[in-house]
Amino acid sequence: MSLRPNPWVSVLYVVGLVALFLGERVVGAGSMRLVLSGSGLTLVGLAVAWRVSRVVRTSGVARVLERWLLGLFLLGGLGLSLYFLQSDAAAFLVPVASLKRRVPELTGVLRALFPALLVTALFPLALVELAAASMARGPVLVPGRLRAALHSGLGMAFALIFAFSTLYVATRADVSWDLAYFRTARPGDATRLLVRRLPEPVEVTLFFPPANDVRQALEQYFRELARESGYLEVEVLDQAVELSRARELGVGENGSVVFSRGQRIERLKVPLELDRARGQLQRLDEDVYRRLRVVSRPRRVLYLTAGHGERGLLPQAATALEKARPGLSQLEEWLRVLNVEVRTLGMAEGLGTEVPRDASVVAIVGPGRDFSPEELAAVLRYVERGGRLWLALEPDGPGLEPLLEPLGLKLLRVPLANDQRFLLMSHQRSDRGNLVTASFSSHASVGTLASLGSDAALVFAGAAALEPVQPLPRGVAQDVSVRAPAETFQDGDQDFTADEGEPRRAWPLVVAVEKAGVSGASPSRVVAMGDSDVMTDSGPRGYGNPYLLVDTVLWLLGEEELAGVVSNEEDVPLQHTRQQDVLWFYSAVFLAPSLVLGAGFLVTRRRRRRGAR
Amino acid sequence: MMRTLLIARRELAAYLRTFQGYIIIAMVLAVDGLLFNAYALGGVSKRSSEVLSLFFLFSSGTTMVASVFISMRLLAEERQAGTLALLYSSPVKDHEIVLGKFLSALAFLALMTLATLFMPLLVMVHGKLSLGHIAAGYLGLLLLGSASLAIGTFGSALARNQVLAAVLSGCMLVALLTCWLLARITEQPLSDVFSALALWNQHFQPFQAGVVHVRDVVYYLLVTYVALFAATRVLEARRWR
């Protein structure tokens, strides 16, 4: 007797497996699991029994088909048995449980085998049933077609098993490479200059264990730096071996870099693991520069005037009368790197009578109210005896004419704006007040900026121009070190639009002044800026503002020969001007696609022409 | 192999000799550029590595969508136009047809993806970028694109017309993409399986951050292999269906 192929046997088998899956994997516990798993097993059993009866009742090619299908059913059944052997249901089977205890890897093997067997059964089952169904209306079954389907299904199953096994091995034996930005800073120009001008030998002692990645990075850095001067002596020690030397330098464990000159000792802690040390290695040059300055140069004091609404070190929150004001913590940070201490100077500290004798620089940053005549007189006396003054003014602040006039300067109290080259910060029209300029003179107070050129543009926010008054007072020499771009206009009505009567010019923004000293005193130095925001924390990173501050301080201190770039490999927030923003937008959204379309047009047109010929 | 390369060359030439191929590249570039400007560069200023990571995030989306559109025509178009029978009758094996068509689509996708290279390079103007990060991101994009194209090829082999091929491929991609959701609601060891299967969540994010894991490379290659193997089986099924 020959029976027609019946797909419902396989459907019953698959429904049983689905019920088992739901019972074991979705429900997982309780009576529901019993019901689902029990009925699933029953359905699978019924399907196998039905298939056996069909094998018995058929003959010829149909019998071959039924045998193959029964074989696949049994293969799936074997998979199910292996599943139950590794599941909690196996607890009832004492011998197997003890075997699992003796061979703990057995559970893992069973867990990998049972899905493999199920896949090997189900894929060919599906394809053979499909092949049989396509021949259901035909007079006979073609064994070749059935065999091809079986092989196809087995091939798919093996491919899947191969893929899962390979992925499992790749996950277990994973190797990875972190290619994101990481680079140990190399010695920057400023550090190299500092080393070249060391007045006495400085010892650098690295305490690191042998064969350590961080040690290698540090050794490479210091080896390069030591080439600049014979006064820099670098030594690498293992703290565990050189205990007495470590104790002498106050080091208790490895992971320290000690800078010493006589009794002056500075330490730098660096983690021993490369992953943890990354951030520090990226700004290593800055850390080294700071410590080298501390051990090799005397500490200086910068007095920051207070009591007239000036910018302080800490930011000020907005009040009902005033908007929020950023602080000068970034400037303080840079000054700390230069071994300059910041102190405040107001009436309480004696500004009404005299500027302290230990003042290396006096800075007046963004005052909001007038100084008293006594205070101004004290500052003037300080300047005349060779003092160093740093003025950063605002259009809406006091003019400080008594200080500016003897220097041949005048503050034009009209804010500047630029409608072509400005920095986008708030994406409002007021952004036009954020002037971006790379117009520098060759003066020492902007030496680094001049060497970097447009790579280190400055950003001034709400600046006013400083006008040199001609003729200059006797003994005064001026240098307009920073100018605004030529299209900058005076925005009298503060609508950020160039109206008539609002002239466009390359307005002077920073002026460096040298004035001959009175009665044999050394010449005084003054830097006047038409904006105080350029010094505050609101200044964008990635621009040249920090170089302006550092070079200005170095010039005021008389150490302009040490001006240079400190190497820093830290990632920085991206900020771009309106012009760049527009350029990037049009190039990305329109220019590149247009070029592709243009190329496509040329290629297809040429082809059409060739075809026409 | 020669026959495979011959098919690949012929198919690639078909992309580049018609204006349609250039329109696809231009559209992908425009969408990538728009997303790059609006989200990666726009808003509050971000670090260069973050901008680059966002660029690869958006590009992965456009790559997957483009893969569906590129692959939908591979075999379905032949079937729709009735030229598949001609291919069957030629002395070319099924796996050579599948591999040749897939390679041509992959070459086109690679060309399209590499055309976006100027965007990460723009970040270098002000930012600090490692070329390794860019290379890792593009390797990820190419592998993701390769896996998506292979799935699309499988969809195209199954479907009778191009629209159905796109729908089928899209469904398969979404199913693989949402595996991570299944991993969250299932228990171990099934959750591990779903998690390992997720097309984007687990395997693309390291590339986006500039980290290359061998396991992720292997995963995408395996997805490509299995999908192409399945597509070949579908073509072969004519013998027994």
Side-chain angles (χ1 to χ4, degrees):
Chain A
M1 187 173 75
S2 182
L3 294 172
R4 306 293 303 168
N6 185 350
W8 291 108
V9 192
S10 297
V11 170
L12 188 69
Y13 183 80
V14 171
V15 169
L17 287 179
V18 170
L20 261 170
F21 174 80
L22 292 175
E24 294 296 309
R25 287 293 173 198
V26 179
V27 178
S31 55
M32 197 59 180
R33 177 192 177 187
L34 271 177
V35 172
L36 282 167
S37 299
S39 50
L41 268 179
T42 311
L43 290 177
V44 169
L46 280 174
V48 173
W50 192 357
R51 186 66 73 195
V52 171
S53 78
R54 287 179 62 84
V55 172
V56 173
R57 284 184 290 151
T58 51
S59 59
V61 177
R63 188 166 194 174
V64 173
L65 169 68
E66 292 298 333
R67 271 185 184 170
W68 285 351
L69 292 175
L70 178 63
L72 294 173
F73 274 27
L74 292 177
L75 196 63
L78 181 63
L80 278 184
S81 314
L82 296 186
Y83 165 75
F84 278 107
L85 280 181
Q86 59 83 45
S87 75
D88 53 350
F92 297 109
L93 304 166
V94 180
V96 174
S98 67
L99 184 68
K100 274 167 67 178
R101 267 199 303 276
R102 270 183 283 154
V103 192
E105 296 84 11
L106 183 69
T107 311
V109 173
L110 294 178
R111 272 185 191 162
L113 262 181
F114 89 81
L117 287 175
L118 281 171
V119 166
T120 313
L122 290 176
F123 262 95
L125 184 68
L127 298 194
V128 170
E129 284 289 6
L130 270 175
S134 68
M135 291 180 272
R137 288 183 186 173
V140 285
L141 288 170
V142 183
R145 289 171 71 178
L146 292 171
R147 195 178 295 113
L150 182 72
H151 289 171
S152 204
L154 284 172
M156 268 313 296
F158 292 153
L160 269 180
I161 292 165
F162 163 74
F164 270 95
S165 318
T166 312
L167 187 59
Y168 178 77
V169 173
T171 307
R172 279 300 176 97
D174 185 35
V175 181
S176 66
W177 298 274
D178 188 349
L179 304 173
Y181 189 83
F182 168 64
R183 200 176 296 158
T184 304
R186 294 185 60 211
D189 293 342
T191 318
R192 287 174 192 271
L193 285 167
L194 191 61
V195 170
R196 254 179 248 159
R197 286 173 171 74
L198 283 176
E200 285 178 52
V202 172
E203 285 181 24
V204 180
T205 316
L206 283 74
F207 286 96
F208 280 87
N212 177 277
D213 291 338
V214 181
R215 172 185 162 148
Q216 280 178 5
L218 287 167
E219 269 187 297
Q220 193 180 345
Y221 174 88
F222 282 108
R223 209 182 302 132
E224 203 173 330
L225 196 59
R227 285 191 206 119
E228 298 295 333
S229 162
Y231 275 180
L232 189 76
E233 295 161 12
V234 183
E235 193 178 15
V236 188
L237 302 174
D238 184 352
Q239 186 271 340
V241 178
E242 304 284 343
L243 281 171
S244 60
R245 179 77 174 132
R247 209 172 297 126
E248 192 186 313
L249 293 170
V251 172
E253 57 187 354
N254 273 325
S256 292
V257 182
V258 184
F259 301 80
S260 56
R261 182 173 73 95
Q263 295 304 308
R264 300 179 83 162
I265 292 177
E266 276 290 308
R267 295 178 196 85
L268 172 65
K269 291 284 289 176
V270 186
L272 291 171
E273 301 82 27
L274 190 61
D275 280 347
R276 285 179 55 213
R278 279 183 166 203
Q280 209 168 341
L281 290 175
Q282 285 177 323
R283 51 181 164 76
L284 177 68
D285 193 47
E286 186 184 315
D287 286 335
V288 171
Y289 181 84
R290 174 191 300 186
R291 280 157 183 85
L292 277 176
R293 268 196 81 102
V294 171
V295 295
S296 65
R297 302 260 159 181
R299 171 161 284 208
R300 308 295 190 91
V301 181
L302 179 143
Y303 280 98
L304 205 58
T305 61
H308 316 90
E310 293 99 329
R311 304 296 172 96
L313 292 177
L314 298 173
Q316 285 175 9
T319 63
L321 297 172
E322 282 184 326
K323 57 182 181 180
R325 303 180 92 189
L328 299 166
S329 60
Q330 195 60 48
L331 172 68
E332 190 191 19
E333 184 63 26
W334 281 107
L335 291 173
R336 199 179 296 142
V337 171
L338 295 171
N339 197 18
V340 176
E341 185 186 340
V342 181
R343 291 183 198 162
T344 50
L345 178 63
M347 284 299 265
E349 289 80 19
L351 181 62
T353 51
E354 203 68 61
V355 170
R357 290 273 162 190
D358 61 347
S360 296
V361 179
V362 171
I364 302 174
V365 184
R369 295 187 293 278
D370 283 322
F371 281 59
S372 70
E374 294 80 16
E375 289 172 317
L376 287 174
V379 175
L380 271 174
R381 280 198 301 278
Y382 166 73
V383 172
E384 277 168 8
R385 65 168 192 260
R388 312 295 161 102
L389 182 65
W390 192 357
L391 289 168
L393 307 173
E394 290 286 349
D396 52 354
L400 295 182
E401 282 81 7
L403 286 180
L404 293 174
E405 272 168 22
L407 303 169
L409 282 173
K410 185 184 171 191
L411 178 73
L412 304 178
R413 296 192 187 186
V414 184
L416 299 173
N418 191 312
D419 49 4
Q420 291 166 40
R421 205 181 311 181
F422 56 90
L423 182 72
L424 281 172
M425 288 177 99
S426 62
H427 292 263
Q428 311 266 327
R429 187 172 278 260
S430 59
D431 281 343
R432 293 179 176 186
N434 303 326
L435 308 180
V436 180
T437 180
S439 172
F440 314 118
S441 74
S442 56
H443 193 260
S445 63
V446 288
T448 310
L449 291 168
S451 66
L452 292 171
S454 56
D455 288 343
L458 294 172
V459 180
F460 290 79
L466 285 154
E467 189 80 342
V469 178
Q470 299 297 340
L472 291 175
R474 265 184 70 184
V476 169
Q478 283 184 353
D479 189 294
V480 179
S481 54
V482 181
R483 286 182 182 276
E487 65 274 14
T488 305
F489 58 90
Q490 278 193 319
D491 189 24
D493 52 5
Q494 298 192 30
D495 63 349
F496 303 103
T497 308
D499 304 314
E500 255 183 64
E502 293 182 337
R504 289 183 189 265
R505 259 179 60 192
W507 301 96
L509 292 175
V510 181
V511 183
V513 184
E514 265 190 291
K515 190 177 179 196
V518 179
S519 57
S522 58
S524 55
R525 288 183 174 187
V526 179
V527 171
M529 298 177 168
D531 175 36
S532 65
D533 293 294
V534 73
M535 293 174 70
T536 65
D537 301 339
S538 64
R541 291 187 73 186
Y543 278 78
N545 294 27
Y547 294 122
L548 175 70
L549 306 185
V550 172
D551 281 10
T552 300
V553 173
L554 286 174
W555 184 70
L556 289 172
L557 292 175
E559 296 182 355
E560 57 269 27
E561 78 278 5
L562 294 178
V565 178
V566 173
S567 162
N568 190 333
E569 297 294 344
E570 267 186 307
D571 195 0
V572 289
L574 284 182
Q575 273 170 319
H576 34 95
T577 63
R578 172 75 183 154
Q579 266 187 333
Q580 287 164 336
D581 208 40
V582 169
L583 184 74
W584 290 17
F585 179 82
Y586 281 105
S587 62
V589 180
F590 295 108
L591 181 65
S594 306
L595 285 175
V596 170
L597 287 178
F601 178 73
L602 286 176
V603 170
T604 48
R605 198 174 158 202
R606 206 170 60 178
R607 192 173 142 70
R608 222 175 292 141
R609 274 188 191 164
R610 273 189 200 161
R613 269 185 231 153
Chain B
M1 193 61 196
M2 283 305 291
R3 284 191 291 245
T4 305
L5 291 177
L6 205 70
I7 294 174
R9 205 173 66 183
R10 184 194 153 276
E11 288 286 320
L12 185 63
Y15 282 118
L16 297 176
R17 278 180 193 163
T18 59
F19 204 57
Q20 193 186 345
Y22 296 92
I23 290 175
I24 293 176
I25 296 180
M27 274 174 69
V28 168
L29 271 180
V31 171
D32 264 350
L34 209 59
L35 292 170
F36 177 69
N37 274 279
Y39 295 103
L41 286 174
V44 289
S45 74
K46 304 173 191 82
R47 291 175 188 280
S48 10
S49 56
E50 203 183 334
V51 172
L52 194 61
S53 179
L54 283 170
F55 165 72
F56 286 125
L57 167 74
F58 298 126
S59 297
S60 68
T62 47
T63 301
M64 280 191 283
V65 174
S67 300
V68 172
F69 284 105
I70 294 168
S71 61
M72 69 182 194
R73 57 172 285 272
L74 290 179
L75 295 160
E77 189 188 39
E78 303 266 11
R79 186 169 285 142
Q80 206 173 353
T83 49
L84 199 59
L86 286 175
L87 266 178
Y88 285 152
S89 60
S90 64
V92 187
K93 290 177 182 149
D94 293 335
H95 72 265
E96 288 172 338
I97 298 173
V98 170
L99 200 59
K101 285 187 171 271
F102 167 77
L103 284 179
S104 70
L106 185 63
F108 183 71
L109 186 83
L111 194 71
M112 190 182 75
T113 308
L114 291 177
T116 62
L117 191 62
F118 74 96
M119 284 185 240
L121 293 179
L122 270 179
V123 178
M124 287 179 107
V125 175
H126 282 302
K128 288 187 174 174
L129 276 188
S130 115
L131 291 176
H133 190 169
I134 298 177
Y138 273 98
L139 174 68
L141 284 180
L142 287 178
L143 286 169
L144 177 70
S146 159
S148 309
L149 272 179
I151 291 167
T153 310
F154 177 47
S156 186
L158 286 172
R160 285 170 195 277
N161 60 59
Q162 295 189 49
V163 178
L164 193 61
V167 172
L168 271 175
S169 312
C171 288
M172 283 188 278
L173 276 178
V174 169
L176 271 180
L177 279 172
T178 50
C179 270
W180 67 276
L181 278 173
L182 284 173
R184 283 173 63 176
I185 57 169
T186 49
E187 288 174 11
Q188 280 190 323
L190 211 57
S191 60
D192 290 343
V193 176
F194 283 128
S195 181
L197 277 179
L199 188 69
W200 187 88
N201 201 49
Q202 175 141 346
H203 298 288
F204 187 75
Q205 278 179 347
F207 287 112
Q208 202 185 313
V211 183
V212 177
H213 284 282
V214 168
R215 62 154 196 259
D216 301 327
V217 175
V218 169
Y219 166 80
Y220 284 120
L221 292 178
L222 284 172
V223 171
T224 307
Y225 164 71
V226 171
L228 291 180
F229 188 85
T232 313
R233 297 295 107 173
V234 172
L235 284 197
E236 279 178 5
R238 73 182 187 279
R239 298 201 188 107
W240 49 266
R241 287 199 73 184

